[in-house]
Amino acid sequence: MNPGPHKEERPVPHEAQPQPADELDAEAVRTWSSLALAALGRARDDIDAINVYPVADADTGTNLYLTAESADRALTETFDNAARTGSGTAEVTGATEPTSLSEAVRAWAHGALVGARGNSGTILAQLLRGVADVLGAEPEDRRTGPGGLLAHALTRAAEEAYAAVAHPVEGTMLTVAGAAARAAEAASAAAGTAADVARAAYDGARAALAETPGQLAALGRAGVVDAGGCGIVAVLGALWQALSGQEPAAEPPARGAVTPAPQPADPCEQHEDGPAYEVIYLLEASEPAVAELRAHLDGLGDSLVVVGGDGLWNVHVHVDDPGAAVEAGVVAGRPYRIRITHFGDERRRGRGERAQRAVVAVVPGEGLAGLCAEAGATTVLVRPGEAPATAELLDAVRRAHAREVVLLPGGTELRAAAATAAEQARAEGVRVAVIPTRSAVQGLAALAVHDPDGSFDEDVVAMTAAAGATRYGELAVAERQSFTSAGICQAGDVLGLIDGDVAVIGAGLPETAEAVLDRMLGSGGELVTLVLGPEVPDAVAERLEAYVQSGHLAVDTVTYRGGRYSAPLLIGVE
């Protein structure tokens, strides 16, 4: 959930310039984005501090900021690309303006969609999509006048955000967005300019935010306003500033904005029995498939938000079975950038307990992701043939929300990306160590000896030693005829790899696995770890456990399910 302790405000990449009161163009959107990012950066700590709903995990401000950062980055790239290609139509502040308002708002919304973080960030992405649906329409499809156009955009944004949430709750950022839209429509009806409409939306949002503690019991007990609503006020204040050139009088109220009720209940208590995991992924799927996915996920958990459209969606849900949530995405289409986070540590952080140390593990299966999450790790789930980029690893380090992070890349091909992510995280004040694990089973061995209460250096040494002392094997099926270190294999042959090299070529998985175990245990061992792929029956594990026991009485065996995306069989020998 929480992307990390880095709280420094990012420099605004584009200097905000006062705009004519009735101007609504691509440059105004660019300024709005820059000012919104800066405002969320300033309010980030305060918003995190009052985050009690739907989960008290102290990350709403961070999630909103990182979502806005992704949106702003996409918008900036659009301007930069236009400048390089000469496709713009006007010179503005040294950069070439995109060819249209439509191009700018659609790039902005797309950036928010692909970079949305958490429940609040996902809703913010849908709000920006609603704005883009109106401002990005053809001129003949728009209302007459910038004021009416902006009011319509804010109304569409609120409507789409409500529709994206499976069970909307009043007293949240949805309520604040809806109130802002109604105030904007009233100002538009009075023939207000775009700046007038923006000011009305900002004022309406602030008034609605102040009322949220009386609408949502969790807020009233904690004596705070809604954290996500604070973010909406910040974004709308930036809109008014972009169109009027006037700075909002004050930051959105957050910390200490409401007098707590007598003897307030612990804001975390009501959520302790909620789902244990947050699952987020991007999904390529059709609208009918997404409609079925919504219904399925709604039965699995809560806090369901599905945003997007035109074939690309961002799915967010809280569940007890993360594998089932990912599996539902596989049925609907192609899920990727899958993030699974366990709420246990997040709830403790919501009570003001910032973690000193955390582990980030890259794993090739949702079963392994759940296993590592239960052990306290923040996980990055990868699909066969895909590797997470540096940005995804950095995001995971931030989500770990700790002063010290141990990163387990899980593959030789990820070392460079892991090293770069670690370097960037260090620049943000996080102490990071990368342990060069080459397989998920080495990561499991490292996690088994992880001591979050010991010194950082000693913990890293112990985890590195455990990983290095674990030989790893993998069984895979050959896709074509090829030369290997064990000879020529044919398509369909079972390949037994040891420490990355093909050591055995066989016809069946159980027989080949036994041959691999013989070689791996030939030099000794005390523990065998078996990680079964989704298509491998339990009978194979039982056979291999018996095989180990028959030849090596002193060796213990543990078996896990790797889940979808894991290899047919992973073997670790310690």
Side-chain angles (χ1 to χ4, degrees):
M1 285 277 290
N2 199 314
H6 173 52
K7 298 292 184 181
E8 291 82 357
E9 178 187 335
R10 198 188 86 169
V12 177
H14 165 65
E15 184 179 354
Q17 299 292 333
Q19 297 290 317
D22 208 31
E23 181 123 6
L24 191 61
D25 56 14
E27 181 62 23
V29 171
R30 187 186 192 195
T31 303
W32 180 12
S33 175
S34 296
L35 292 171
L37 181 61
L40 288 171
R42 290 189 297 270
R44 181 174 173 177
D45 279 339
D46 283 347
I47 294 176
D48 279 346
I50 64 167
N51 174 201
V52 299
Y53 184 86
V55 177
D57 48 8
D59 70 350
T60 291
T62 297
N63 287 337
L64 288 168
Y65 175 81
L66 291 176
T67 302
E69 184 181 46
S70 177
D72 187 71
R73 185 185 308 116
L75 181 57
T76 299
E77 289 174 357
T78 298
F79 272 84
D80 290 346
N81 290 337
R84 284 193 296 269
T85 61
S87 62
T89 58
E91 292 295 325
V92 181
T93 63
T96 304
E97 185 183 352
T99 55
S100 68
L101 170 63
S102 175
E103 183 180 0
V105 293
R106 292 192 183 282
W108 195 31
H110 180 77
L113 175 66
V114 300
R117 301 293 194 274
N119 190 71
S120 56
T122 307
I123 293 174
L124 176 61
Q126 190 71 350
L127 287 166
L128 295 188
R129 177 180 174 83
V131 169
D133 284 347
V134 174
L135 299 188
E138 294 300 322
E140 57 269 20
D141 296 333
R142 300 174 181 169
R143 291 186 179 187
T144 303
L149 181 64
L150 180 58
H152 184 36
L154 295 176
T155 297
R156 176 73 67 83
E159 291 172 348
E160 292 195 8
Y162 266 95
V165 177
H167 302 285
V169 175
E170 295 304 329
T172 64
M173 60 191 298
L174 294 176
T175 304
V176 175
R182 290 189 294 274
E185 291 286 2
S188 171
T193 65
D196 293 335
V197 168
R199 178 57 192 263
Y202 174 56
D203 290 342
R206 293 189 63 175
L209 179 64
E211 298 297 324
T212 56
Q215 297 171 302
L216 195 55
L219 303 179
R221 286 195 297 268
V224 296
V225 294
D226 180 63
C230 281
I232 297 300
V233 171
V235 171
L236 291 173
L239 171 62
W240 176 56
Q241 185 178 0
L243 292 176
S244 68
Q246 301 180 51
E247 188 172 349
E251 295 294 341
R255 195 193 307 267
V258 180
T259 301
Q263 298 180 334
D266 180 351
C268 299
E269 287 180 356
Q270 62 176 319
H271 300 293
E272 291 294 337
D273 295 329
Y277 298 92
E278 177 188 57
V279 178
I280 304 174
Y281 50 81
L282 291 178
L283 177 69
E284 294 176 356
S286 65
E287 288 197 18
V290 169
E292 295 182 7
L293 174 67
R294 288 177 191 267
H296 185 69
L297 291 179
D298 194 26
L300 289 179
D302 59 31
S303 295
L304 173 61
V305 185
V306 181
V307 304
D310 302 321
L312 180 63
W313 312 82
N314 191 306
V315 179
H316 169 280
V317 67
H318 297 172
V319 294
D320 281 320
D321 186 349
V326 175
E327 177 71 22
V330 173
V331 173
R334 177 181 174 267
Y336 60 103
R337 293 193 187 178
I338 302 166
R339 300 193 294 272
I340 301 173
T341 304
H342 189 266
F343 279 136
D345 290 338
E346 300 299 324
R347 291 187 175 113
R348 286 193 292 273
R349 291 166 198 149
R351 291 191 281 264
E353 303 171 15
R354 184 179 298 280
Q356 176 65 29
R357 187 176 311 143
V359 176
V360 171
V362 180
V363 291
E366 74 257 14
L368 284 170
L371 184 66
C372 291
E374 288 176 0
T378 297
T379 60
V380 178
L381 178 60
V382 294
R383 295 162 55 104
E386 296 183 359
T390 296
E392 291 182 70
L393 296 180
L394 179 59
D395 173 52
V397 171
R398 288 170 169 169
R399 283 190 289 126
H401 194 59
R403 299 180 181 90
E404 301 169 342
V405 172
V406 180
L407 178 55
L408 308 174
T412 305
E413 71 282 3
L414 294 179
R415 286 187 185 177
T420 303
E423 182 178 355
Q424 294 180 16
R426 292 183 191 115
E428 298 179 355
V430 183
R431 190 179 184 188
V432 183
V434 179
I435 295 179
T437 52
R438 294 176 289 172
S439 170
V441 290
Q442 289 187 321
L444 292 176
L447 266 175
V449 300
H450 170 52
D451 180 11
D453 298 322
S455 76
F456 183 70
D457 291 338
E458 291 177 353
D459 195 25
V460 171
V461 169
M463 294 178 73
T464 301
T470 302
R471 301 191 70 193
Y472 64 95
E474 178 179 341
L475 269 70
V477 178
E479 296 181 355
R480 65 183 71 86
Q481 184 189 65
S482 60
F483 291 94
T484 75
S485 53
I488 299 176
C489 71
Q490 305 296 326
D493 283 347
V494 178
L495 307 180
L497 291 81
I498 299 177
D499 295 337
D501 294 323
V502 177
V504 179
I505 300 175
L509 188 143
E511 299 85 354
T512 307
E514 290 173 351
V516 168
L517 284 167
D518 277 340
R519 297 198 181 196
M520 295 181 72
L521 289 170
S523 55
E526 299 176 352
L527 175 67
V528 171
T529 300
L530 303 175
V531 181
L532 275 62
E535 306 299 328
V536 178
D538 292 337
V540 170
E542 295 170 0
R543 172 174 168 171
L544 296 179
E545 289 174 3
Y547 185 79
V548 171
Q549 184 66 24
S550 65
H552 305 273
L553 294 177
V555 178
D556 293 326
T557 304
V558 294
T559 302
Y560 303 111
R561 277 286 175 186
R564 184 171 289 272
Y565 306 136
S566 67
L569 181 65
L570 296 177
I571 301 173
V573 174
E574 303 175 48

